[in-house]
Amino acid sequence: MPGKRKRSLIIVIDGPAGAGKSTTAKEVARRADLDYVDSGAMYRGFTYLYLKHGKDRSRLKDLLDSHGLRFEFHSTEARVYHGDTEITGDIRSDSVNSHVSDVAAMEEVRNTVRKLLRQVSRDSDVVLEGRDLGTVVFPDADFKFFLTADPEARALRRYDERIGKGEQVSLDQVRENVETRDRIDSNRDIAPLMKADDAVEIDSTFLTFEEQVTRILQYIRNTPTATTKIDIS
Ligand code: DC
């Protein structure tokens, strides 16, 4: 029988839009054989529902109570379903991009997502990415990283990503969306985007993808935890 474990292992990666959190978190999860959890996908899922129901905040509580959303997290992907319909692509639409920061600033939405995040992380070892995971959702996480990069570098990365998916966007549009979301996410009253005091900050502006992943894995490998020993290849 394996040794008694205190609880599941929790690694969080917070940071602003376009800092490379998703790709980095997925690769860390893949190499360390952990599950990957995308908290932004939850905010996006609720934003999709909010828009679908006519942006009516008075109906939000009912919507949150009976949302019908299902999130599937694996080591390399996050899938979102509304009932039987997969909405993984829909939650990345322009309209969701434009409204998600406002919806994510609503207290009732944050409470629901916080509960869901704690539920999905209860029984499995996970790498989670978000904005307030190290400060609010998992203040006792085993490892906390804050991944950041110069705003122009972040806008360019998001632009390349969207062009790579065949979307028709301009760099100006992407830059404006990233700047607006940074501003709303960092200045909201509840759980703003913020580095936890005990998070390790990694500025990825001049790092390659491999370098940023390696830094995180090396830090994890070299730091013993009370929870478990991770086998990283
Ligand atoms: O990581 P993302 O771009 O998919 O996140 C979408 C939005 O969700 C982001 O603009 C702010 C919000 N968010 C949040 O407020 N807290 C989190 N832990 C994760 C995302």
Side-chain angles (χ1 to χ4, degrees):
M1 198 177 126
K4 209 172 169 194
R5 287 178 41 174
K6 214 174 57 169
R7 58 167 171 77
S8 59
L9 178 92
I10 295 183
I11 300 171
V12 300
I13 304 180
D14 285 312
K21 296 187 302 295
S22 302
T23 44
T24 305
K26 283 179 194 170
E27 187 60 9
V28 170
R30 193 185 68 77
R31 291 203 208 170
D33 198 19
L34 307 170
D35 283 338
Y36 157 70
V37 176
D38 175 4
S39 62
M42 293 184 173
Y43 288 104
R44 288 173 176 276
F46 287 113
T47 304
Y48 169 89
L49 285 189
Y50 176 71
L51 296 176
K52 205 174 159 71
H53 290 83
K55 298 195 227 170
D56 182 355
R57 191 160 178 186
S58 67
R59 292 187 58 199
L60 195 55
K61 189 176 175 320
D62 287 345
L63 210 55
L64 290 167
D65 288 344
S66 61
H67 55 79
L69 291 179
R70 186 160 53 84
F71 302 94
E72 276 185 13
F73 296 112
H74 307 285
S75 74
T76 53
E77 61 177 359
R79 288 177 181 274
V80 186
Y81 297 85
H82 181 219
D84 291 333
T85 311
E86 180 165 7
I87 56 165
T88 307
D90 305 80
I91 64 164
R92 311 264 160 207
S93 69
D94 276 341
S95 55
V96 171
N97 278 341
S98 309
H99 290 86
V100 65
S101 285
D102 289 328
V103 174
M106 297 175 188
E107 188 172 13
E108 56 274 48
V109 176
R110 297 211 76 79
N111 290 342
T112 301
V113 171
R114 191 176 60 238
K115 268 190 222 139
L116 282 173
L117 287 170
R118 289 180 181 161
Q119 260 167 28
V120 298
S121 314
R122 194 160 295 147
D123 299 319
S124 37
D125 296 333
V126 285
V127 182
L128 306 103
E129 59 139 319
R131 304 288 191 289
D132 63 334
L133 305 181
T135 49
V136 174
V137 186
F138 298 106
D140 298 327
D142 299 273
F143 294 99
K144 298 181 186 180
F145 297 95
F146 193 80
L147 192 60
T148 181
D150 179 87
E152 189 61 20
R154 293 192 282 111
L156 263 170
R157 283 181 197 166
R158 269 285 148 96
Y159 172 73
D160 286 343
E161 192 183 299
R162 295 185 62 183
I163 291 292
K165 284 187 195 159
E167 292 179 35
Q168 304 257 322
V169 276
S170 70
L171 178 58
D172 282 347
Q173 270 174 303
V174 176
R175 186 188 290 117
E176 197 191 317
N177 180 257
V178 165
E179 282 170 0
T180 307
R181 288 208 285 138
D182 277 358
R183 196 174 54 248
I184 302 175
D185 296 343
S186 306
N187 293 304
R188 67 180 171 227
D189 292 336
I190 320 161
L193 163 67
M194 205 196 293
K195 176 186 165 305
D197 289 341
D198 53 350
V200 175
E201 181 160 350
I202 298 177
D203 182 338
S204 70
T205 310
F206 300 109
L207 296 181
T208 63
F209 176 62
E210 181 56 31
E211 284 168 337
Q212 72 203 39
V213 170
T214 306
R215 279 199 193 184
I216 290 178
L217 290 173
Q218 271 174 353
Y219 184 87
I220 295 172
R221 202 182 279 124
N222 295 336
T223 312
T225 75
T227 309
T228 190
K229 185 175 173 305
I230 321 172
D231 190 11
I232 299 171
S233 48

